[in-house]
Amino acid sequence: MENAKKSYDVIIIGGGPAGIATAITLSSQGISHCIVEAKVEPTRKLGEAIPPNAKPLLKKLGIQHLLEDKQHIAYYGNKSCWGNNQIEQKEFIKGIHGQGYLLDRLYFEKQLRNQVLHSCTQCLFGYKLKKVISTDKGVTVIIENDSENKTLSAKYIVDATGRKATVSKQLGGIKQNLDNQFAIVINASLSVPISHQIIVEATKNGWWYMAPQETKELSLMFFTEQTMLRDKTQYADFLLKELEHTLHISEYTTRAQLNFEGLKIMPAGTSKLDRPFGENWIAVGDAAITFDPISSYGITSALASGYYAGHALISAIDNKSDAMLAYNYLLDSAFQIYMEKLHTQYSLESRWENSKYWITKHKVLVNS
Ligand SMILES: Cc1cc2nc3c(=O)[nH]c(=O)nc-3n(C[C@H](O)[C@H](O)[C@H](O)COP(=O)(O)OP(=O)(O)OC[C@H]3O[C@@H](n4cnc5c(N)ncnc54)[C@H](O)[C@@H]3O)c2cc1C
């Protein structure tokens, strides 16, 4: 068992968009850092739509060229049936930044990883955080893989572990859930190819998100309240009934082969840490705030928070004491804007006055 002690200015736990954006920012200023990622190779994650307003941010990070790869396609907005029975195209193009992108998400994660592999970032892929201990000088971090433990130390640690917020929780942060929205996710195969168009459709018990993956593959997600999901054995029947209630998505799914064996359930609501930083830690991406997927904010916000947290760390290392407070202010302001937009979005749907899902949703958003 190796137990070599390595010391850095910053240790980043998690190599998703938020962790990589932090590493890119630290690299640009020559701050010594290391990124620890549990997965040896990138895995496919959910979420593929990048809105046009992400482009200036990618430019700041110096990674705008990643979107120009032919694996990602120009995207002009979702089709949506929400608030009435019609399906409407929600155009991105009206904004000043032109079109967005529909990502090949696995390929994007690989591209991001390549950015740090060819930089001054020390990469430890295949290692998982075991423990983090706060010390007078910063943090001591124990990481592990199948065959060894390593002990690292740093002035600061970045929590980029995604929804789990593992680092922040170990160092006293508390994750507050604003709702109990969950996603049920299945894949489906089609016999004929369909266009790369995301369709969103509200129903009585929640809403559907249909995203074509490859020409004949579909990713189908149903977003609903946790209380609707008590009996695991009935999830498949529940989904089939919910599909029957759709006016538009069912046009595709009646011709598709639904793969219930790979069905997954995951939290997919809004949550926020009580504070995104402590004496020697800072949280980025989903670890700090998770966004309702209706907003398509997740990837862009993960990249943005990594960028701004990276700059806060650079200032903090330079003994500028208010850097973390400024980061907190930025995140809080962005969160308030998001909550207002979320409220507007859900207020548009009023077709099911007696639905438990929509009553709860409206109540939560009015009270928060
Ligand atoms: C159902 C669903 C649909 C979504 N749809 C969209 C969408 O359309 N558009 C959009 O923009 N966003 C969407 N999102 C959200 C988006 O995918 C996330 O916001 C984004 O991936 C967050 O990036 P991150 O880097 O913070 O976290 P992640 O991408 O989750 O990365 C965290 C990384 O940390 C690693 N890790 C975790 N724990 C440890 C540990 N203990 N030690 C070492 N490594 C660790 C993980 O392996 C992972 O690679 C969706 C999310 C869900 C759940």
Side-chain angles (χ1 to χ4, degrees), residues 14-17 20 37-46 104-117 125-126:
I20 301 277
E37 162 56 49
K39 300 277 178 354
V40 178
E41 294 294 337
T43 50
R44 187 180 289 283
K45 292 175 183 168
L46 294 166
D104 175 332
R105 183 70 195 270
L106 178 60
Y107 188 75
F108 186 60
E109 296 280 326
K110 286 180 186 166
Q111 284 180 308
L112 288 176
R113 206 180 259 213
N114 276 337
Q115 291 295 304
V116 292
L117 276 172
F125 296 144

Side-chain angles (χ1 to χ4, degrees), residues 121-324:
T121 305
Q122 163 87 53
C123 298
L124 290 165
F125 296 144
Y127 285 88
K128 210 172 166 186
L129 175 77
K130 195 172 173 191
K131 198 170 182 184
V132 51
I133 304 149
S134 183
T135 66
D136 292 349
K137 290 179 189 151
V139 285
T140 298
V141 177
I142 303 166
I143 60 169
E144 62 181 351
N145 69 6
D146 291 344
S147 56
E148 63 171 8
N149 279 4
K150 277 183 191 288
T151 303
L152 313 170
S153 65
K155 289 179 192 153
Y156 292 98
I157 187 164
V158 177
D159 187 351
T161 59
R163 250 173 205 275
K164 288 184 279 183
T166 310
V167 176
S168 311
K169 284 180 188 165
Q170 283 197 34
L171 294 174
I174 298 167
K175 202 79 186 273
Q176 294 160 334
N177 291 322
L178 271 77
D179 59 42
N180 286 312
Q181 182 166 274
F182 270 66
I184 315 178
V185 185
I186 54 166
N187 288 325
S189 315
L190 292 157
S191 51
V192 284
I194 59 166
S195 65
H196 281 86
Q197 174 64 61
I198 292 173
I199 300 183
V200 171
E201 182 167 356
T203 56
K204 185 180 169 196
N205 292 318
W207 55 275
W208 283 96
Y209 179 100
M210 185 189 95
Q213 291 298 321
E214 284 145 29
T215 38
K216 288 188 186 174
E217 289 291 315
L218 278 183
S219 178
L220 275 170
M221 298 174 218
F222 186 62
F223 295 88
T224 189
E225 270 290 306
Q226 192 181 18
T227 47
M228 304 272 186
L229 301 172
R230 284 209 187 108
D231 190 347
K232 284 185 184 169
T233 58
Q234 289 173 11
Y235 286 169
D237 286 344
F238 174 69
L239 277 194
L240 284 171
K241 273 203 192 104
E242 291 303 323
L243 272 177
E244 274 173 27
H245 294 144
T246 61
L247 300 170
H248 305 280
I249 286 183
S250 53
E251 279 178 29
Y252 299 92
T253 54
T254 44
R255 287 179 275 137
Q257 193 175 343
L258 307 179
N259 171 14
F260 288 109
E261 273 159 32
L263 183 147
K264 286 189 203 134
I265 307 272
M266 60 191 72
T270 302
S271 69
K272 189 174 181 288
L273 275 178
D274 59 340
R275 60 200 158 103
F277 73 98
E279 209 178 327
N280 36 35
W281 62 272
I282 191 161
V284 292
D286 279 9
I289 298 175
T290 61
F291 298 94
D292 189 316
I294 196 71
S295 67
S296 293
Y297 270 28
I299 303 167
T300 311
S301 295
L303 293 167
S305 61
Y307 174 79
Y308 290 111
H311 282 287
L313 287 165
I314 293 162
S315 297
I317 289 164
D318 197 23
N319 292 321
K320 291 182 182 138
S321 58
D322 55 357
M324 300 295 208

